[in-house]
Amino acid sequence: MMQPAKHNFRLEIISNLEEIEEIIAWFEECHQSHIPEKIWLQAETVLIEGFTNVVRHAHANQDTETLINLELEIAGDYLQIKIWDQGIFFDLTSALHNLDRKIRSSQIDLWERESQWGFIFFLKLRDEFGWKIDYTQESDQRNCFKIQSPKFD
C-alpha cells in the first residue's frame, strides 16, 4: 500500500489566548483520514496546551502582538507539531525528569499536580504512548517545542 505524501501546514498567530478558536479551526482543516482518531485528539490537546504554555509562560512579559509560529507535519505514518516561541529558553528535559521523579516518589501534592497538568500530560504521551518530545533554542534565538507521534498502524 502506498503511503500518503508528507504535508506541512503553518500558522503564524499572536500571543493571545483568544486565538485558540482560530488554532483549532486551522488544525481541523489539516485533518487527514489515515490518522488514527486517538493520535489526532492527543495532537490537538498538545497543540492547545503548547500554545497556552507559550502565552502564559514563555511570552508572559511580552506584548500580545508577539508572534508564535505553529507547524503541523503529517507524513504517511506519523505527525509532528512544532511551536516556536520568543521567550527565555528553559531545560524542558530536566523539568520533565524532575517532575517524573517527584510523581514516582509520591512527592507531588494536589496543587502542584494541577499546576503541572501540561507537563504531566507530556510525560504520559512520552512514557505510555511513545511520543518523542524536544525543546531547543534555534540559531535565530527562538525556541522550538517539537513533539512527534508514534508511527500509525
Side-chain angles (χ1 to χ4, degrees):
M1 185 170 116
M2 195 169 140
Q3 293 287 336
K6 187 184 290 189
H7 297 280
N8 287 303
F9 304 92
R10 291 178 178 84
L11 179 65
E12 186 171 71
I13 198 151
I14 61 170
S15 188
N16 186 323
L17 291 177
E18 293 178 14
E19 300 299 319
I20 288 178
E21 285 183 37
E22 183 176 340
I23 292 169
I24 292 170
W26 167 77
F27 186 74
E28 289 303 321
E29 288 174 11
C30 301
H31 188 264
Q32 295 181 10
S33 61
H34 74 282
I35 302 170
E37 183 178 7
K38 181 178 180 178
I39 288 180
W40 187 254
L41 292 174
Q42 289 170 340
E44 185 172 42
T45 305
V46 162
L47 187 62
I48 293 165
E49 183 61 27
F51 174 77
T52 301
N53 284 346
V54 169
V55 173
R56 289 187 176 155
H57 303 291
H59 290 180
N61 298 320
Q62 297 189 24
D63 189 290
T64 58
E65 298 299 313
T66 303
L67 295 176
I68 299 171
N69 296 93
L70 308 173
E71 180 180 307
L72 172 64
E73 178 182 302
I74 299 176
D77 61 353
Y78 72 90
L79 66 79
Q80 179 176 266
I81 294 171
K82 292 180 182 177
I83 303 172
W84 284 272
D85 71 72
Q86 298 179 45
I88 296 171
F89 181 77
F90 80 103
D91 187 347
L92 177 63
T93 302
S94 292
L96 290 175
H97 174 75
N98 292 336
L99 180 61
D100 187 46
R101 186 180 41 75
K102 286 176 108 174
I103 291 170
R104 292 180 191 276
S105 64
S106 301
Q107 294 177 341
I108 187 168
D109 62 28
L110 184 58
W111 172 253
E112 189 174 12
R113 203 176 272 273
E114 283 288 316
S115 68
Q116 297 290 322
W117 181 89
F119 280 0
I120 292 169
F121 174 67
F122 294 149
L123 279 174
K124 189 172 194 74
L125 285 178
R126 185 191 71 189
D127 297 346
E128 294 181 27
F129 297 106
W131 288 69
K132 297 174 188 170
I133 301 173
D134 195 21
Y135 185 72
T136 57
Q137 188 168 59
E138 305 289 300
S139 60
D140 63 2
Q141 300 305 304
R142 292 184 308 158
N143 306 308
C144 182
F145 173 73
K146 179 172 67 174
I147 187 164
Q148 183 176 311
S149 74
K151 292 191 181 267
F152 312 151
D153 292 332

